[in-house]
Amino acid sequence: MPKRKPESDLDQRSFERMMDGSMLDMLRANRDRLQQAMDDKSTPANALPAISRQLIAVCDRIESLQGGGLTDLFEDEEDEVTEDVGASIV
Protein backbone atom coordinates (compact mmCIF):
# COMPACT_ATOMS: atom_id res chain seq x y z
CA MET A 1 0.00 0.00 0.00
CA PRO A 2 1.59 3.33 -1.07
CA LYS A 3 2.06 6.04 1.51
CA ARG A 4 -0.46 8.82 1.34
CA LYS A 5 0.91 12.23 0.72
CA PRO A 6 0.18 14.39 3.77
CA GLU A 7 -2.49 16.95 3.07
CA SER A 8 -1.41 20.55 3.22
CA ASP A 9 -2.71 22.74 6.02
CA LEU A 10 -5.80 24.76 5.27
CA ASP A 11 -5.19 28.43 4.82
CA GLN A 12 -7.48 30.89 6.61
CA ARG A 13 -9.61 31.66 3.55
CA SER A 14 -10.21 27.99 2.72
CA PHE A 15 -11.16 27.32 6.31
CA GLU A 16 -13.60 30.22 6.37
CA ARG A 17 -15.20 29.10 3.10
CA MET A 18 -15.54 25.59 4.47
CA MET A 19 -17.20 26.96 7.60
CA ASP A 20 -19.45 29.27 5.58
CA GLY A 21 -20.66 26.31 3.54
CA SER A 22 -21.82 24.47 6.63
CA MET A 23 -23.34 27.70 7.96
CA LEU A 24 -25.27 28.10 4.70
CA ASP A 25 -26.50 24.52 4.93
CA MET A 26 -27.67 25.10 8.50
CA LEU A 27 -29.36 28.38 7.58
CA ARG A 28 -31.11 26.79 4.59
CA ALA A 29 -32.42 23.96 6.77
CA ASN A 30 -33.60 26.52 9.33
CA ARG A 31 -35.27 28.56 6.58
CA ASP A 32 -37.08 25.49 5.27
CA ARG A 33 -38.27 24.54 8.75
CA LEU A 34 -39.52 28.05 9.47
CA GLN A 35 -41.34 28.11 6.13
CA GLN A 36 -43.02 24.80 6.99
CA ALA A 37 -44.17 26.28 10.30
CA MET A 38 -45.55 29.33 8.48
CA ASP A 39 -47.48 27.12 6.05
CA ASP A 40 -48.75 24.69 8.71
CA LYS A 41 -52.39 25.34 9.52
CA SER A 42 -51.86 24.06 13.08
CA THR A 43 -49.33 26.81 13.88
CA PRO A 44 -50.96 29.19 16.36
CA ALA A 45 -51.75 32.60 14.89
CA ASN A 46 -49.96 34.36 17.73
CA ALA A 47 -46.71 32.53 16.80
CA LEU A 48 -46.75 33.68 13.17
CA PRO A 49 -45.23 37.17 13.69
CA ALA A 50 -42.20 35.77 15.55
CA ILE A 51 -41.74 32.98 13.02
CA SER A 52 -42.02 35.49 10.20
CA ARG A 53 -39.35 37.74 11.77
CA GLN A 54 -37.03 34.76 12.20
CA LEU A 55 -37.64 33.64 8.62
CA ILE A 56 -36.82 37.09 7.26
CA ALA A 57 -33.66 37.27 9.42
CA VAL A 58 -32.49 33.85 8.21
CA CYS A 59 -33.16 34.74 4.57
CA ASP A 60 -31.27 38.01 5.01
CA ARG A 61 -28.32 36.15 6.56
CA ILE A 62 -28.29 33.66 3.67
CA GLU A 63 -28.24 36.50 1.15
CA SER A 64 -25.42 38.25 2.98
CA LEU A 65 -23.30 35.08 3.03
CA GLN A 66 -23.96 34.50 -0.67
CA GLY A 67 -23.17 38.10 -1.53
CA GLY A 68 -26.43 38.96 -3.23
CA GLY A 69 -29.89 40.26 -2.72
CA LEU A 70 -31.72 43.56 -2.76
CA THR A 71 -29.32 45.25 -0.37
CA ASP A 72 -26.60 45.07 -3.04
CA LEU A 73 -28.81 47.01 -5.44
CA PHE A 74 -29.11 49.87 -2.97
CA GLU A 75 -25.37 49.85 -2.23
CA ASP A 76 -24.58 50.21 -5.95
CA GLU A 77 -26.96 53.16 -6.18
CA GLU A 78 -25.25 54.83 -3.23
CA ASP A 79 -21.84 54.38 -4.89
CA GLU A 80 -23.08 56.19 -8.00
CA VAL A 81 -24.07 59.21 -5.93
CA THR A 82 -20.73 59.40 -4.12
CA GLU A 83 -18.79 59.10 -7.37
CA ASP A 84 -20.50 62.22 -8.76
CA VAL A 85 -19.00 64.52 -6.13
CA GLY A 86 -17.70 67.02 -8.73
CA ALA A 87 -21.16 68.29 -9.65
CA SER A 88 -22.64 71.03 -7.53
CA ILE A 89 -25.79 73.12 -7.51
CA VAL A 90 -25.21 76.86 -7.64
Coordinates of all heavy atoms in Angstrom, one line a residue:
M1 N 0.8 -1.2 0.0 CA 0.0 0.0 0.0 C 0.9 1.2 0.0 O 1.7 1.4 0.9 CB -0.9 -0.1 1.3 CG -1.9 1.0 1.4 SD -2.8 0.7 2.9 CE -4.4 1.3 2.4
P2 N 0.7 2.1 -1.0 CA 1.6 3.3 -1.1 C 1.2 4.3 0.0 O 0.1 4.4 0.5 CB 1.3 3.9 -2.4 CG 0.0 3.4 -2.9 CD -0.2 2.1 -2.1
K3 N 2.3 5.0 0.5 CA 2.1 6.0 1.5 C 1.3 7.2 0.9 O 1.5 7.6 -0.2 CB 3.4 6.6 2.0 CG 4.1 5.7 3.0 CD 5.2 6.5 3.6 CE 5.8 5.7 4.7 NZ 6.9 6.4 5.3
R4 N 0.3 7.7 1.8 CA -0.5 8.8 1.3 C 0.3 10.1 1.6 O 1.0 10.2 2.6 CB -1.7 8.9 2.2 CG -2.9 8.4 1.5 CD -4.2 8.4 2.3 NE -4.6 9.8 2.5 CZ -5.7 10.1 3.1 NH1 -6.5 9.2 3.6 NH2 -6.1 11.3 3.3
K5 N 0.3 10.9 0.6 CA 0.9 12.2 0.7 C 0.2 13.0 1.8 O -1.1 13.1 1.7 CB 0.8 12.9 -0.6 CG 1.6 14.3 -0.7 CD 1.5 14.8 -2.1 CE 2.1 16.2 -2.1 NZ 1.9 16.8 -3.4
P6 N 0.9 13.6 2.7 CA 0.2 14.4 3.8 C -0.5 15.6 3.1 O 0.0 16.2 2.3 CB 1.3 14.8 4.7 CG 2.5 14.6 4.0 CD 2.3 13.6 2.9
E7 N -1.7 15.8 3.6 CA -2.5 17.0 3.1 C -1.9 18.2 3.6 O -1.5 18.3 4.8 CB -4.0 16.8 3.5 CG -4.6 15.6 2.8 CD -6.1 15.5 3.2 OE1 -6.7 16.6 3.5 OE2 -6.6 14.4 3.1
S8 N -1.9 19.3 2.8 CA -1.4 20.6 3.2 C -2.4 21.2 4.2 O -3.6 20.9 4.2 CB -1.2 21.5 2.0 OG -2.4 21.7 1.4
D9 N -1.9 22.0 5.1 CA -2.7 22.7 6.0 C -3.7 23.7 5.3 O -3.3 24.2 4.2 CB -1.9 23.6 7.0 CG -1.1 22.7 7.9 OD1 -1.5 21.5 8.1 OD2 0.0 23.1 8.4
L10 N -4.8 23.8 5.8 CA -5.8 24.8 5.3 C -5.3 26.2 5.5 O -4.9 26.5 6.7 CB -7.2 24.6 5.9 CG -8.0 23.4 5.5 CD1 -9.2 23.3 6.3 CD2 -8.4 23.4 4.0
D11 N -5.4 27.0 4.5 CA -5.2 28.4 4.8 C -6.5 29.0 5.4 O -7.5 28.4 5.4 CB -4.7 29.2 3.6 CG -5.8 29.2 2.5 OD1 -6.8 28.5 2.5 OD2 -5.6 30.0 1.5
Q12 N -6.4 30.2 5.9 CA -7.5 30.9 6.6 C -8.7 31.0 5.7 O -9.8 30.8 6.1 CB -7.0 32.3 7.1 CG -8.1 33.0 7.9 CD -8.4 32.3 9.3 OE1 -7.6 31.7 9.8 NE2 -9.6 32.5 9.7
R13 N -8.5 31.4 4.5 CA -9.6 31.7 3.5 C -10.3 30.3 3.2 O -11.6 30.3 3.2 CB -9.1 32.3 2.3 CG -10.2 32.7 1.3 CD -9.8 33.6 0.2 NE -11.0 33.9 -0.5 CZ -11.0 34.1 -1.8 NH1 -9.9 33.9 -2.5 NH2 -12.1 34.4 -2.5
S14 N -9.6 29.3 3.0 CA -10.2 28.0 2.7 C -11.0 27.5 3.9 O -12.1 27.0 3.8 CB -9.1 27.0 2.4 OG -8.5 27.3 1.2
F15 N -10.5 27.7 5.1 CA -11.2 27.3 6.3 C -12.5 28.1 6.5 O -13.5 27.5 6.8 CB -10.3 27.5 7.5 CG -10.9 27.2 8.8 CD1 -11.1 25.9 9.2 CD2 -11.4 28.2 9.7 CE1 -11.8 25.5 10.4 CE2 -12.0 27.9 10.9 CZ -12.2 26.5 11.2
E16 N -12.4 29.4 6.2 CA -13.6 30.2 6.4 C -14.7 29.8 5.3 O -15.8 29.8 5.7 CB -13.2 31.7 6.2 CG -12.5 32.3 7.4 CD -12.0 33.7 7.2 OE1 -12.2 34.2 6.1 OE2 -11.4 34.2 8.2
R17 N -14.2 29.5 4.1 CA -15.2 29.1 3.1 C -15.8 27.8 3.5 O -17.0 27.6 3.3 CB -14.5 29.0 1.7 CG -14.4 30.3 1.1 CD -14.3 30.2 -0.4 NE -12.9 30.1 -0.8 CZ -12.4 29.5 -1.8 NH1 -13.2 28.8 -2.6 NH2 -11.2 29.5 -2.1
M18 N -15.0 26.9 4.0 CA -15.5 25.6 4.5 C -16.6 25.8 5.6 O -17.6 25.2 5.6 CB -14.4 24.7 5.0 CG -14.8 23.3 5.3 SD -13.4 22.3 5.7 CE -12.8 23.0 7.2
M19 N -16.3 26.7 6.5 CA -17.2 27.0 7.6 C -18.4 27.7 7.1 O -19.5 27.4 7.6 CB -16.5 27.8 8.7 CG -15.4 27.1 9.4 SD -15.9 25.5 10.1 CE -17.0 26.0 11.4
D20 N -18.3 28.6 6.1 CA -19.5 29.3 5.6 C -20.4 28.3 4.9 O -21.6 28.5 4.9 CB -19.0 30.3 4.6 CG -18.4 31.6 5.3 OD1 -18.6 31.7 6.5 OD2 -17.8 32.4 4.6
G21 N -19.8 27.3 4.2 CA -20.7 26.3 3.5 C -21.6 25.6 4.5 O -22.7 25.4 4.3
S22 N -21.0 25.2 5.6 CA -21.8 24.5 6.6 C -22.8 25.4 7.3 O -23.9 25.1 7.6 CB -20.9 23.8 7.7 OG -20.2 24.8 8.4
M23 N -22.4 26.7 7.4 CA -23.3 27.7 8.0 C -24.5 27.9 7.0 O -25.7 28.0 7.4 CB -22.6 29.0 8.2 CG -23.5 30.2 8.6 SD -24.3 29.9 10.2 CE -23.0 30.3 11.3
L24 N -24.2 28.0 5.7 CA -25.3 28.1 4.7 C -26.2 26.9 4.7 O -27.4 27.1 4.6 CB -24.7 28.3 3.3 CG -24.2 29.7 2.9 CD1 -23.5 29.7 1.6 CD2 -25.4 30.6 2.9
D25 N -25.6 25.7 4.9 CA -26.5 24.5 4.9 C -27.4 24.6 6.1 O -28.6 24.3 6.0 CB -25.6 23.3 5.0 CG -24.9 23.0 3.7 OD1 -25.3 23.6 2.6 OD2 -23.9 22.3 3.7
M26 N -26.9 25.0 7.3 CA -27.7 25.1 8.5 C -28.8 26.2 8.3 O -29.9 26.0 8.7 CB -26.8 25.4 9.7 CG -27.5 25.5 11.0 SD -26.5 25.8 12.4 CE -25.7 27.3 12.0
L27 N -28.4 27.3 7.8 CA -29.4 28.4 7.6 C -30.5 28.0 6.6 O -31.6 28.3 6.8 CB -28.7 29.6 7.1 CG -27.8 30.4 8.1 CD1 -27.0 31.4 7.4 CD2 -28.7 31.0 9.2
R28 N -30.1 27.3 5.6 CA -31.1 26.8 4.6 C -32.1 25.8 5.2 O -33.3 25.9 5.0 CB -30.4 26.2 3.4 CG -29.8 27.2 2.5 CD -29.1 26.5 1.3 NE -28.5 27.5 0.5 CZ -27.2 27.3 0.0 NH1 -26.5 26.3 0.3 NH2 -26.7 28.3 -0.7
A29 N -31.6 24.9 6.1 CA -32.4 24.0 6.8 C -33.3 24.7 7.7 O -34.5 24.4 7.8 CB -31.6 22.9 7.5
N30 N -32.8 25.7 8.4 CA -33.6 26.5 9.3 C -34.7 27.3 8.6 O -35.8 27.3 9.0 CB -32.7 27.5 10.1 CG -33.3 28.1 11.2 OD1 -34.5 28.3 11.3 ND2 -32.5 28.5 12.2
R31 N -34.3 27.8 7.4 CA -35.3 28.6 6.6 C -36.4 27.6 6.2 O -37.6 28.0 6.2 CB -34.6 29.1 5.3 CG -35.5 29.8 4.3 CD -34.9 29.9 3.0 NE -34.5 28.6 2.5 CZ -33.7 28.3 1.5 NH1 -33.1 29.3 0.9 NH2 -33.4 27.1 1.1
D32 N -36.1 26.4 5.7 CA -37.1 25.5 5.3 C -38.0 25.1 6.4 O -39.2 25.0 6.2 CB -36.4 24.2 4.7 CG -35.6 24.6 3.4 OD1 -35.8 25.6 2.8 OD2 -34.8 23.7 3.0
R33 N -37.4 24.9 7.6 CA -38.3 24.5 8.7 C -39.2 25.7 9.2 O -40.4 25.5 9.5 CB -37.4 24.1 9.9 CG -38.1 23.7 11.1 CD -38.9 22.4 10.9 NE -39.7 22.1 12.0 CZ -41.1 22.3 12.1 NH1 -41.7 22.8 11.0 NH2 -41.7 22.0 13.1
L34 N -38.7 26.9 9.1 CA -39.5 28.1 9.5 C -40.6 28.2 8.4 O -41.8 28.6 8.8 CB -38.7 29.3 9.5 CG -37.7 29.4 10.8 CD1 -36.7 30.5 10.6 CD2 -38.6 29.6 12.0
Q35 N -40.3 28.0 7.2 CA -41.3 28.1 6.1 C -42.4 27.1 6.3 O -43.6 27.3 6.1 CB -40.7 28.0 4.7 CG -41.7 28.2 3.6 CD -42.2 29.7 3.6 OE1 -41.4 30.6 3.6 NE2 -43.5 29.8 3.7
Q36 N -42.0 25.8 6.7 CA -43.0 24.8 7.0 C -43.9 25.2 8.1 O -45.2 25.0 8.1 CB -42.3 23.5 7.4 CG -41.7 22.8 6.2 CD -40.9 21.5 6.7 OE1 -40.7 21.3 7.9 NE2 -40.4 20.8 5.8
A37 N -43.4 25.8 9.2 CA -44.2 26.3 10.3 C -45.1 27.4 9.9 O -46.3 27.4 10.3 CB -43.3 26.8 11.4
M38 N -44.7 28.3 9.0 CA -45.6 29.3 8.5 C -46.7 28.8 7.7 O -47.8 29.2 7.8 CB -44.8 30.3 7.6 CG -43.8 31.2 8.3 SD -44.6 32.5 9.3 CE -45.3 33.5 8.0
D39 N -46.5 27.7 6.9 CA -47.5 27.1 6.1 C -48.4 26.1 6.8 O -49.5 25.8 6.3 CB -46.8 26.4 4.9 CG -46.1 27.4 4.0 OD1 -46.4 28.6 4.0 OD2 -45.2 26.9 3.2
D40 N -48.0 25.7 8.0 CA -48.7 24.7 8.7 C -50.0 25.3 9.3 O -49.9 26.3 10.1 CB -47.9 24.1 9.8 CG -48.5 22.9 10.5 OD1 -49.7 22.6 10.3 OD2 -47.8 22.3 11.3
K41 N -51.1 24.8 9.0 CA -52.4 25.3 9.5 C -52.5 25.2 11.0 O -53.3 25.9 11.7 CB -53.6 24.7 8.8 CG -53.6 25.0 7.3 CD -54.9 24.4 6.7 CE -54.9 24.5 5.2 NZ -54.9 25.9 4.7
S42 N -51.8 24.3 11.6 CA -51.9 24.1 13.1 C -51.0 25.0 13.9 O -51.0 25.0 15.1 CB -51.5 22.6 13.4 OG -50.2 22.3 13.1
T43 N -50.2 25.8 13.2 CA -49.3 26.8 13.9 C -50.2 27.9 14.5 O -51.1 28.5 13.7 CB -48.3 27.4 12.9 OG1 -47.5 26.4 12.4 CG2 -47.4 28.5 13.6
P44 N -50.1 28.2 15.8 CA -51.0 29.2 16.4 C -50.8 30.6 15.7 O -49.6 30.9 15.4 CB -50.5 29.2 17.8 CG -49.7 28.0 18.0 CD -49.2 27.6 16.7
A45 N -51.8 31.3 15.5 CA -51.8 32.6 14.9 C -50.8 33.6 15.6 O -50.1 34.4 15.0 CB -53.2 33.2 14.8
N46 N -50.8 33.4 17.0 CA -50.0 34.4 17.7 C -48.5 34.0 17.6 O -47.6 34.8 18.0 CB -50.4 34.4 19.2 CG -50.2 33.1 19.9 OD1 -49.9 32.1 19.3 ND2 -50.5 33.1 21.2
A47 N -48.1 32.9 17.0 CA -46.7 32.5 16.8 C -46.2 33.0 15.4 O -45.0 33.1 15.2 CB -46.5 31.0 16.9
L48 N -47.1 33.3 14.5 CA -46.7 33.7 13.2 C -45.9 34.9 13.1 O -44.9 34.9 12.3 CB -48.0 33.8 12.3 CG -48.7 32.5 12.0 CD1 -50.0 32.8 11.2 CD2 -47.9 31.5 11.3
P49 N -46.1 36.0 13.8 CA -45.2 37.2 13.7 C -43.8 36.9 14.1 O -42.9 37.3 13.4 CB -45.8 38.2 14.6 CG -47.3 37.8 14.8 CD -47.3 36.3 14.6
A50 N -43.6 36.1 15.1 CA -42.2 35.8 15.6 C -41.5 34.9 14.5 O -40.4 35.0 14.2 CB -42.2 35.1 16.9
I51 N -42.3 33.9 14.0 CA -41.7 33.0 13.0 C -41.4 33.8 11.8 O -40.3 33.5 11.1 CB -42.7 31.8 12.7 CG1 -42.9 30.9 13.9 CG2 -42.3 31.0 11.5 CD1 -44.0 29.9 13.8
S52 N -42.3 34.7 11.4 CA -42.0 35.5 10.2 C -40.8 36.3 10.3 O -39.9 36.4 9.4 CB -43.2 36.4 10.0 OG -43.0 37.2 8.8
R53 N -40.6 36.9 11.5 CA -39.3 37.7 11.8 C -38.1 36.9 11.7 O -37.1 37.3 11.1 CB -39.4 38.4 13.1 CG -40.3 39.7 13.2 CD -40.1 40.4 14.5 NE -40.5 39.6 15.7 CZ -41.7 39.5 16.2 NH1 -42.7 40.1 15.6 NH2 -41.9 38.8 17.2
Q54 N -38.2 35.7 12.3 CA -37.0 34.8 12.2 C -36.7 34.3 10.8 O -35.6 34.2 10.3 CB -37.3 33.5 13.1 CG -37.2 33.8 14.5 CD -37.6 32.6 15.4 OE1 -38.3 31.7 14.9 NE2 -37.1 32.5 16.6
L55 N -37.8 34.1 10.0 CA -37.6 33.6 8.6 C -37.0 34.7 7.8 O -36.1 34.5 7.0 CB -39.0 33.3 8.0 CG -39.0 32.8 6.6 CD1 -38.2 31.6 6.4 CD2 -40.5 32.5 6.1
I56 N -37.4 36.0 8.0 CA -36.8 37.1 7.3 C -35.4 37.3 7.7 O -34.5 37.5 6.8 CB -37.6 38.4 7.5 CG1 -39.0 38.3 6.8 CG2 -36.9 39.6 7.0 CD1 -40.0 39.3 7.2
A57 N -35.0 37.1 8.9 CA -33.7 37.3 9.4 C -32.8 36.2 8.8 O -31.6 36.4 8.4 CB -33.6 37.2 10.9
V58 N -33.3 35.0 8.8 CA -32.5 33.8 8.2 C -32.3 34.1 6.7 O -31.1 33.9 6.2 CB -33.2 32.5 8.5 CG1 -32.6 31.4 7.7 CG2 -33.1 32.2 10.0
C59 N -33.3 34.5 6.0 CA -33.2 34.7 4.6 C -32.2 35.9 4.3 O -31.3 35.8 3.4 CB -34.5 35.1 3.9 SG -35.6 33.7 3.9
D60 N -32.2 36.9 5.1 CA -31.3 38.0 5.0 C -29.8 37.5 5.3 O -28.9 37.9 4.5 CB -31.7 39.1 6.0 CG -30.8 40.4 5.8 OD1 -30.6 40.8 4.6 OD2 -30.4 41.0 6.8
R61 N -29.7 36.7 6.2 CA -28.3 36.1 6.6 C -27.8 35.3 5.4 O -26.6 35.4 5.0 CB -28.4 35.3 7.9 CG -27.1 34.7 8.3 CD -26.1 35.7 8.8 NE -25.0 35.0 9.3 CZ -23.8 35.5 9.3 NH1 -23.5 36.7 8.9 NH2 -22.8 34.8 9.8
I62 N -28.7 34.5 4.8 CA -28.3 33.7 3.7 C -27.8 34.5 2.5 O -26.8 34.3 1.9 CB -29.5 32.7 3.2 CG1 -29.7 31.6 4.3 CG2 -29.2 32.1 1.9 CD1 -31.0 30.8 4.0
E63 N -28.6 35.6 2.2 CA -28.2 36.5 1.1 C -26.9 37.2 1.4 O -26.1 37.4 0.5 CB -29.3 37.5 0.9 CG -30.5 37.0 0.2 CD -31.6 38.0 0.0 OE1 -31.4 39.2 0.3 OE2 -32.7 37.7 -0.6
S64 N -26.7 37.6 2.7 CA -25.4 38.2 3.0 C -24.2 37.3 2.8 O -23.2 37.7 2.4 CB -25.5 38.9 4.4 OG -25.4 37.9 5.4
L65 N -24.4 36.0 3.2 CA -23.3 35.1 3.0 C -23.1 34.7 1.6 O -21.9 34.4 1.2 CB -23.6 33.8 3.8 CG -23.5 33.9 5.3 CD1 -23.9 32.6 6.0 CD2 -22.1 34.3 5.7
Q66 N -24.1 34.8 0.8 CA -24.0 34.5 -0.7 C -23.5 35.7 -1.5 O -23.1 35.6 -2.6 CB -25.3 34.0 -1.2 CG -25.6 32.6 -0.7 CD -27.0 32.1 -1.3 OE1 -27.9 32.9 -1.6 NE2 -27.1 30.8 -1.4
G67 N -23.6 36.9 -0.9 CA -23.2 38.1 -1.5 C -24.2 38.6 -2.6 O -23.8 39.1 -3.6
G68 N -25.4 38.5 -2.3 CA -26.4 39.0 -3.2 C -27.6 39.5 -2.5 O -27.6 39.7 -1.3
G69 N -28.6 39.8 -3.3 CA -29.9 40.3 -2.7 C -30.2 41.7 -3.0 O -29.4 42.4 -3.7
L70 N -31.3 42.2 -2.5 CA -31.7 43.6 -2.8 C -30.8 44.6 -2.1 O -30.7 45.7 -2.7 CB -33.1 43.8 -2.2 CG -34.2 43.0 -3.0 CD1 -35.6 43.2 -2.3 CD2 -34.3 43.5 -4.4
T71 N -30.2 44.3 -1.0 CA -29.3 45.2 -0.4 C -28.2 45.6 -1.3 O -27.7 46.8 -1.2 CB -28.8 44.7 1.0 OG1 -28.1 43.5 0.8 CG2 -29.9 44.6 2.0
D72 N -27.7 44.7 -2.1 CA -26.6 45.1 -3.0 C -27.1 46.1 -4.1 O -26.3 46.9 -4.5 CB -26.1 43.8 -3.8 CG -25.2 42.9 -2.9 OD1 -24.9 43.4 -1.8 OD2 -25.0 41.8 -3.3
L73 N -28.3 46.0 -4.5 CA -28.8 47.0 -5.4 C -28.8 48.4 -4.9 O -28.4 49.4 -5.5 CB -30.2 46.7 -5.8 CG -30.4 45.4 -6.6 CD1 -31.9 45.1 -6.8 CD2 -29.7 45.4 -7.9
F74 N -29.1 48.6 -3.6 CA -29.1 49.9 -3.0 C -27.7 50.4 -2.8 O -27.4 51.5 -2.9 CB -29.9 49.8 -1.6 CG -31.3 49.5 -1.8 CD1 -31.9 48.5 -1.1 CD2 -32.1 50.3 -2.7 CE1 -33.3 48.2 -1.3 CE2 -33.5 50.0 -2.8 CZ -34.0 49.0 -2.1
E75 N -26.8 49.5 -2.4 CA -25.4 49.8 -2.2 C -24.8 50.4 -3.5 O -24.0 51.3 -3.5 CB -24.6 48.7 -1.7 CG -24.9 48.3 -0.2 CD -24.2 47.1 0.2 OE1 -23.4 46.5 -0.5 OE2 -24.5 46.6 1.3
D76 N -25.1 49.7 -4.7 CA -24.6 50.2 -5.9 C -25.1 51.6 -6.2 O -24.4 52.5 -6.7 CB -25.0 49.3 -7.1 CG -24.3 47.9 -7.0 OD1 -23.3 47.9 -6.3 OD2 -24.7 47.0 -7.7
E77 N -26.4 51.9 -5.9 CA -27.0 53.2 -6.2 C -26.3 54.2 -5.3 O -26.0 55.3 -5.8 CB -28.4 53.1 -5.8 CG -29.2 54.3 -6.3 CD -30.7 54.1 -6.0 OE1 -31.3 53.1 -6.5 OE2 -31.3 54.9 -5.3
E78 N -25.9 53.9 -4.1 CA -25.3 54.8 -3.2 C -23.9 55.1 -3.8 O -23.4 56.3 -3.7 CB -25.1 54.2 -1.8 CG -24.5 55.2 -0.8 CD -24.5 54.6 0.6 OE1 -25.5 53.9 0.9 OE2 -23.5 54.8 1.3
D79 N -23.2 54.2 -4.3 CA -21.8 54.4 -4.9 C -21.9 55.4 -6.0 O -21.0 56.2 -6.2 CB -21.2 53.1 -5.4 CG -20.8 52.2 -4.2 OD1 -20.8 52.7 -3.1 OD2 -20.6 50.9 -4.5
E80 N -23.0 55.3 -6.9 CA -23.1 56.2 -8.0 C -23.2 57.6 -7.5 O -22.6 58.5 -8.1 CB -24.3 55.8 -8.8 CG -24.1 54.5 -9.6 CD -25.4 54.1 -10.4 OE1 -26.3 55.0 -10.5 OE2 -25.5 53.0 -10.8
V81 N -23.9 57.9 -6.4 CA -24.1 59.2 -5.9 C -22.7 59.7 -5.4 O -22.4 60.9 -5.7 CB -25.1 59.2 -4.8 CG1 -25.2 60.6 -4.2 CG2 -26.5 58.9 -5.4
T82 N -22.0 58.9 -4.7 CA -20.7 59.4 -4.1 C -19.7 59.6 -5.2 O -18.8 60.4 -5.0 CB -20.2 58.4 -3.1 OG1 -20.0 57.1 -3.6 CG2 -21.1 58.3 -1.9
E83 N -19.8 58.9 -6.3 CA -18.8 59.1 -7.4 C -19.0 60.4 -8.1 O -18.1 60.9 -8.8 CB -18.8 57.9 -8.3 CG -18.3 56.6 -7.7 CD -18.6 55.4 -8.6 OE1 -19.1 55.6 -9.8 OE2 -18.2 54.3 -8.2
D84 N -20.2 61.0 -8.0 CA -20.5 62.2 -8.8 C -20.3 63.5 -7.9 O -21.1 64.4 -7.9 CB -21.9 62.1 -9.3 CG -22.2 63.2 -10.3 OD1 -21.3 63.7 -10.9 OD2 -23.4 63.5 -10.5
V85 N -19.2 63.5 -7.1 CA -19.0 64.5 -6.1 C -18.7 65.9 -6.8 O -18.9 66.9 -6.3 CB -17.9 64.1 -5.2 CG1 -17.5 65.2 -4.2 CG2 -18.3 62.9 -4.4
G86 N -18.1 65.8 -8.0 CA -17.7 67.0 -8.7 C -18.8 68.0 -9.1 O -18.6 69.1 -9.2
A87 N -20.0 67.4 -9.3 CA -21.2 68.3 -9.7 C -21.7 69.0 -8.4 O -21.8 68.5 -7.3 CB -22.3 67.4 -10.3
S88 N -22.1 70.3 -8.6 CA -22.6 71.0 -7.5 C -23.8 71.9 -8.0 O -23.8 72.3 -9.2 CB -21.6 71.9 -6.8 OG -21.1 72.8 -7.7
I89 N -24.7 72.2 -7.2 CA -25.8 73.1 -7.5 C -25.4 74.5 -7.1 O -25.0 74.7 -5.9 CB -27.1 72.6 -6.8 CG1 -27.4 71.2 -7.3 CG2 -28.2 73.6 -7.1 CD1 -28.6 70.6 -6.6
V90 N -25.6 75.5 -8.0 CA -25.2 76.9 -7.6 C -26.5 77.7 -7.5 O -27.4 77.6 -8.2 CB -24.3 77.5 -8.7 CG1 -23.9 78.9 -8.4 CG2 -23.1 76.6 -8.9

